[in-house]
Amino acid sequence: MEHSKQTQFGSSDKKDAGTSSVVNGHCDGMVKRPAGGPSQPPAAESGSQRPVMESWREDRTRSVEDNEISLPSLAAAYTTILRGLGDDPQRQGLLKTPWRAATAMQFFTKGYQEKLIDVLNDAIFDEDHDEMVIVKDIDMFSMCEHHLVPIFGRVHIGYLPNKRVLGLSKLARIVEIYSRRLQVQERLTKQIAVAITEALQPTGVGVVIEATHMCMVMRGVQKMNSKTITSTMLGVFREDPKTRDEFLTLIRS
């Protein structure tokens, strides 16, 4: 498995981060950005280029109040969709569907309402521990930003502490924050790894995601058993093959 290039933190010579390995995904093979070319969307790229903690202040782009304000227009949009599909929004079975669908979509994308600092600020502990920490098989649900259909699977996270550890449940919360947005799996994998790095400054981080994309299962090539596997390796997980192999072996056990 190939791995993304290491993102450098706290250095004046910051290198552009590469993409993660992909198997049976939307893009076959590696996608590389040419030097000086267009950058990725801010959520994926700018977070890895800013000083530690700075990106935490800019993650929330939607509030509970925004949900209340936008709900009627979202429901109206779903009414238009139902009519455009050839059905009657006024028939009994669809009378409340636009509101239900709008509310559900707000829940599916609730990661836009959350910030890392809200989740992690009270869960980082000083601890004299420098052995690998792994949480695997974290359930993940997201929405494909290309087709607005589900992506679901499992996330495996490992890191080598540098005198600080994170409450274990918070790793799952990081997954929830970034997965509950319109996503592509490649970006999601990197965002999780960068968030952990910004929060803890560990010696290294490894993230692997295995997921099923309903846009491949329900439409297009309709390959029922296809899975997409992406990985991001930072720090010693990228530099040291033995550390990386230990992580990959443990998440497969």
Side-chain angles (χ1 to χ4, degrees), residues 140-151:
M140 180 275 295
F141 301 91
S142 191
M143 296 288 288
C144 169
E145 69 178 34
H146 299 146
H147 305 97
L148 300 185
V149 294
I151 303 169

Side-chain angles (χ1 to χ4, degrees), residues 46-66:
S46 58
S48 64
Q49 298 294 326
R50 293 184 297 228
V52 176
M53 300 288 289
E54 183 178 339
S55 66
W56 292 20
R57 296 194 295 268
E58 302 175 5
D59 282 344
R60 186 186 293 116
T61 57
R62 199 177 83 206
S63 67
V64 174
E65 291 76 15
D66 291 332

Side-chain angles (χ1 to χ4, degrees), residues 109-173:
T109 59
K110 65 186 180 71
Y112 291 119
Q113 300 169 217
E114 300 176 325
K115 293 181 65 174
L116 281 171
I117 196 168
D118 299 332
V119 172
L120 305 183
N121 200 32
D122 61 348
I124 298 175
F125 308 101
D126 295 328
E127 192 69 38
D128 188 17
H129 182 76
D130 58 2
E131 299 295 331
M132 192 177 299
V133 177
I134 294 176
V135 178
K136 67 176 187 176
D137 296 327
I138 302 170
D139 290 330
M140 180 275 295
F141 301 91
S142 191
M143 296 288 288
C144 169
E145 69 178 34
H146 299 146
H147 305 97
L148 300 185
V149 294
I151 303 169
F152 59 92
R154 299 177 300 170
V155 181
H156 314 293
I157 299 173
Y159 71 95
L160 278 174
N162 184 16
K163 307 302 181 181
R164 294 200 299 175
V165 298
L166 182 64
L168 295 178
S169 66
K170 303 305 182 182
L171 294 173
R173 289 292 303 274

Side-chain angles (χ1 to χ4, degrees), residues 11-201:
S11 170
S12 60
D13 182 19
K14 296 183 179 179
K15 298 180 181 179
D16 190 19
T19 56
S20 305
S21 57
V22 184
V23 179
N24 291 336
H26 291 294
C27 300
D28 295 329
M30 298 295 289
V31 179
K32 299 181 179 178
R33 292 197 308 275
S39 61
Q40 289 192 3
E45 183 64 21
S46 58
S48 64
Q49 298 294 326
R50 293 184 297 228
V52 176
M53 300 288 289
E54 183 178 339
S55 66
W56 292 20
R57 296 194 295 268
E58 302 175 5
D59 282 344
R60 186 186 293 116
T61 57
R62 199 177 83 206
S63 67
V64 174
E65 291 76 15
D66 291 332
N67 283 349
E68 296 174 356
I69 293 171
S70 64
L71 187 59
S73 61
L74 280 175
Y78 276 109
T79 299
T80 301
I81 290 173
L82 291 174
R83 190 174 291 113
L85 294 175
D87 215 321
D88 178 11
Q90 297 303 311
R91 70 177 176 87
Q92 184 178 10
L94 294 180
L95 282 176
K96 295 183 178 180
T97 294
W99 287 92
R100 292 191 187 106
T103 302
M105 184 58 74
Q106 288 181 339
F107 178 79
F108 296 155
T109 59
K110 65 186 180 71
Y112 291 119
Q113 300 169 217
E114 300 176 325
K115 293 181 65 174
L116 281 171
I117 196 168
D118 299 332
V119 172
L120 305 183
N121 200 32
D122 61 348
I124 298 175
F125 308 101
D126 295 328
E127 192 69 38
D128 188 17
H129 182 76
D130 58 2
E131 299 295 331
M132 192 177 299
V133 177
I134 294 176
V135 178
K136 67 176 187 176
D137 296 327
I138 302 170
D139 290 330
M140 180 275 295
F141 301 91
S142 191
M143 296 288 288
C144 169
E145 69 178 34
H146 299 146
H147 305 97
L148 300 185
V149 294
I151 303 169
F152 59 92
R154 299 177 300 170
V155 181
H156 314 293
I157 299 173
Y159 71 95
L160 278 174
N162 184 16
K163 307 302 181 181
R164 294 200 299 175
V165 298
L166 182 64
L168 295 178
S169 66
K170 303 305 182 182
L171 294 173
R173 289 292 303 274
I174 291 175
V175 172
E176 189 76 358
I177 287 173
Y178 286 109
S179 63
R180 294 294 188 172
R181 303 178 181 188
L182 302 181
Q183 278 288 12
V184 294
Q185 186 174 326
E186 298 88 337
R187 182 197 309 140
L188 174 60
T189 311
K190 180 179 176 181
Q191 286 177 329
I192 294 169
V194 168
I196 296 169
T197 301
E198 289 189 331
L200 293 179
Q201 292 292 288

Side-chain angles (χ1 to χ4, degrees), residues 23-25 154 210-213 225-229:
V23 179
N24 291 336
R154 299 177 300 170
E210 309 171 54
T212 297
H213 293 240
N225 297 314
S226 65
K227 282 189 176 182
T228 300
I229 302 175

